[in-house]
Amino acid sequence: ARKFFVGGNWKCNGTNEEVKKIVSFLNEAEVPSEDVVEVVVSPPFVFLPLVKSLLRPDFHAAAQNCWVKKGGAFTGEISAEMLVNLGIQWVILGHSERRQLLNESNDFVGDKVAYALSLGLKVIACIGETLEQRESGSTIEVVAAQTKAIADKVSNWDNVVLAYEPVWAIGTGKVATPAQAQDVHYELRKWIESNVDAEVASKTRIIYGGSVNGANCKELAAQPDIDGFLVGGASLKPEFVDIIKSAT
Ligand code: 13P
């Protein structure tokens, strides 16, 4: 069985005070144990040490990005080595906002995933189609190509969680229907089975992201190939706790 996974992606939000408030409602929440659900929250880099120091021990902090190779003369970047040095275990890579706004290519994301894994980090690798791609019927082709760029460079999938986040559902309030999400998750698992291996396909968590909230999470979580969520807006609010609870 795949352990349910819930990630909170805070994106570029928060002040010191707000971050402390979010951590305190998380710390007080009664949620299923770590054996049932794995929870990570991903604040902006500058708040990572603060969050790590305050956060309950059964939740973990994740970075939202890191540099594609060993650190050095790359102004403005944060290296995977630095995350390791800070004791951060998780990193989100290939988020659609970075693919779209910062032109991160499939290849570049594949390189980032491989490098982060090589240092022992665990990776939430994001994929997903745009509205235009969905409407033209190329959803599966697009997410397969994004997954292939990762699969080409990664041999051990133990530390990878794949996050399917349709771009049209992110921050729009237009959540994918449980059937739409299940359909893509199923196809992705099948793709991994045919192109990587059956055991990897059955073990790898494929989580859904895009306008997940306290009200729609239960029905999504009930789908057989949806193994959790990557939550944006709702992860800044107490309803994130309800999303964590949808694990059971
Ligand atoms: P929203 O939950 O705000 O739609 O964002 C989803 C997302 O991008 C998580 O990474």
Side-chain angles (χ1 to χ4, degrees), residues 24-90:
S24 78
F25 75 64
L26 292 176
N27 286 352
E28 285 159 18
E30 281 183 41
V31 298
S33 86
E34 247 187 310
D35 305 330
V36 175
V37 58
E38 194 164 6
V39 180
V40 310
V41 294
S42 190
F45 285 123
V46 292
F47 298 126
L48 270 175
L50 176 69
V51 168
K52 190 177 155 47
S53 72
L54 298 177
L55 192 64
R56 56 196 289 167
D58 53 337
F59 288 9
H60 298 281
Q64 295 177 15
N65 177 42
C66 67
W67 183 231
V68 64
K69 57 185 176 183
K70 191 171 159 46
F74 307 105
T75 303
E77 290 295 329
I78 303 287
S79 70
E81 290 82 3
M82 292 169 192
L83 299 179
V84 171
N85 180 248
L86 221 61
I88 300 297
Q89 298 174 4
W90 285 94

Side-chain angles (χ1 to χ4, degrees), residues 152-164:
D152 283 348
K153 288 162 184 158
V154 167
S155 50
N156 185 341
W157 283 70
D158 290 352
N159 288 338
V160 180
V161 169
L162 200 57
Y164 169 59

Side-chain angles (χ1 to χ4, degrees), residues 7-9 11 92 95-97 126 163 165 169-173 209-213 230-235:
N9 176 6
K11 306 192 179 184
I92 298 172
H95 192 277
S96 76
E97 285 146 18
C126 305
E165 301 204 295
I170 294 179
T172 58
S211 298
V212 175
N213 61 35
L230 188 56
V231 183
S235 73

Side-chain angles (χ1 to χ4, degrees), residues 134 164 166 168-169 174-182 208-211 216 220:
R134 172 160 285 261
Y164 169 59
W168 49 270
K174 274 198 210 167
V175 63
T177 66
Q180 280 175 324
Q182 165 59 25
Y208 168 80
S211 298
N216 61 30
L220 287 160

